[in-house]
Amino acid sequence: MRILITREISEIAVNLLIKNGFEVDVNAKDRALTSLELLKLGADADGIIAMLSDKFPAEVIDKLPKCKVLANYAVGYN
């Protein structure tokens, strides 16, 4: 299974995914991906780990039929 990570995250997290058999692609650009970039990079991704600031319009999600999981990588508290 292939995972796209939309920005750099903890190396520990990436290594944990790889150790558990996932193929991981990390966007090395320090900015949000455009809709076109998301479609290109996520075309064959089974899952996407996104940052809180990333936008996923419905038309982008609809064009990622292989993607089963869209997860948010963030922390916080109330």
Side-chain angles (χ1 to χ4, degrees):
M1 292 184 77
R2 184 172 167 271
I3 305 295
L4 169 64
I5 303 174
T6 62
R7 297 222 194 151
E8 289 187 19
I9 62 172
S10 163
E11 188 176 330
I12 294 170
V14 173
N15 288 336
L16 186 61
L17 289 166
I18 293 169
K19 179 181 174 183
N20 282 282
F22 293 96
E23 179 184 332
V24 179
D25 291 322
V26 180
N27 170 31
K29 299 174 182 172
D30 190 24
R31 63 169 175 79
L33 296 170
T34 66
S35 292
L36 290 176
E37 289 171 323
L38 283 169
L39 290 172
K40 181 180 177 183
L41 296 172
D44 63 341
D46 298 289
I48 298 175
I49 298 175
M51 301 301 112
L52 183 62
S53 59
D54 290 325
K55 305 291 185 221
F56 282 84
E59 57 271 10
V60 170
I61 294 171
D62 289 343
K63 292 178 182 174
L64 297 170
K66 189 174 177 187
C67 186
K68 297 170 191 72
V69 175
L70 179 55
N72 178 25
Y73 186 85
V75 297
Y77 62 92
N78 291 337

